[in-house]
Amino acid sequence: MSDAVVLMAYGSPERLSDVPAYYADIRGGRPIAPELLEDLVERYRRLGIEESSPLNAITEQTRVALEAELGFPVHTGMKHWTPRIADAAAAALGGGADTVAGLVLAPHYSALSIKGYRELLERALGGRAELRFVESWHDEPGFVALLADRVRGTGAHVVFTAHSLPARILEMGDPYKEQLLETARLVADAAALERWSFSFQSESPTGEPWLGPDILDHLRTLHAEGVTDVLLCPIGFVSDHLEIRWDLDVEATELAHELGLRLERIQMPNDDPAFVRTLAEIVRRALAVPSPS
Ligand code: FEC
């Protein structure tokens, strides 16, 4: 038996000229208002992605570290950019894998997110290897412990955040919100936090209601309640990228300055060795490979 991993992430443009095609991929063919495209290009310009595209670089560092930890091939596949999930599947098959673990660098399941990764990978493998797809890992002990270590002992009010999704997922019986709240509760308990809350971030202007409260409204509410110090702990993302560096580090930080709130955020897991060991644990379990003693 030969194992391989397809490690999946959202993907990010490498150059500003990639942004229109990248955004079109996210929209899946639905039209994009020109002002929304301009706004997105501007956010990527201000992040300086042509010098270094954080999500793609971090995903590659994580891939290399995970491969070294596991001792068998790990291939990266992006949902909305290159290398595509299909490229990763082809590389795994080309290397002779007959069992493939599919792991998304996003811990919480939603039919509007993880299901799409699964469908892309299933289609690309086309039954030529057995797929062991990890649906969610929101309560993985190593992940909870890593986040708990980053918030333990803070005197600030901790706000756990995750990407919002259209509110219609609640009628679909989607587990996304419940899984997010469970991660937040597990981390808060492990770190013995007294003051914490949860809010969504990064809502898109798609013309339908999204899950709230949004982080900007939530910061206003906390300020009105007398909170003076906030520590942001993203739990729905695991690396530095646009939604962290823009939505939190620029937008939320600017609002906090206006309100006179002290705002910090935890370091993202990125390719932290403890995080990579946790990912390796998840993969080994999916493939029923024994852990090194
Ligand atoms: O750094 C980067 O270049 C990429 C950062 C990035 C991550 C990410 C993760 C998630 N998204 C999720 C859901 C949606 C839905 C829509 C949507 C739209 C965008 C746009 C950009 C973008 N997302 Fe994203 N997302 C990232 C970036 N996302 C850019 C388009 C412009 C904008 O709205 O700002 C709406 C699609 C539509 O219009 O129909 C829904 C979810 C995640 C977390 C799970 C995952 O990582 O896959 C859920 C990182």
Side-chain angles (χ1 to χ4, degrees), residues 16 55 67 96 142 171 207 232 238-239 245 253 272 288:
L16 291 177
L55 180 60
E67 191 169 81
E171 288 121 58
L232 297 177
V238 296
S239 51
R245 295 215 183 152
T253 303
D272 182 318

Side-chain angles (χ1 to χ4, degrees), residues 110 124 141 158 169:
S110 168
V158 174
I169 64 162

Side-chain angles (χ1 to χ4, degrees), residues 10 12 22-23 27 30 43-44 117 163 204 206 241-242:
Y10 203 80
S12 183
Y22 171 72
Y23 199 176
R27 294 285 298 163
R30 281 166 300 130
R43 278 184 274 155
Y44 278 115
Y117 287 92
H163 204 297
S204 285
T206 56
H241 49 58
L242 185 74

Side-chain angles (χ1 to χ4, degrees), residues 4 15 26 170 186 239 280:
R15 280 166 293 279
I26 291 175
L170 298 182
L186 287 170
S239 51

Side-chain angles (χ1 to χ4, degrees), residues 67-79:
E67 191 169 81
E69 181 72 30
L70 288 169
F72 51 83
V74 178
H75 307 280
T76 303
M78 303 292 189
K79 193 182 202 182

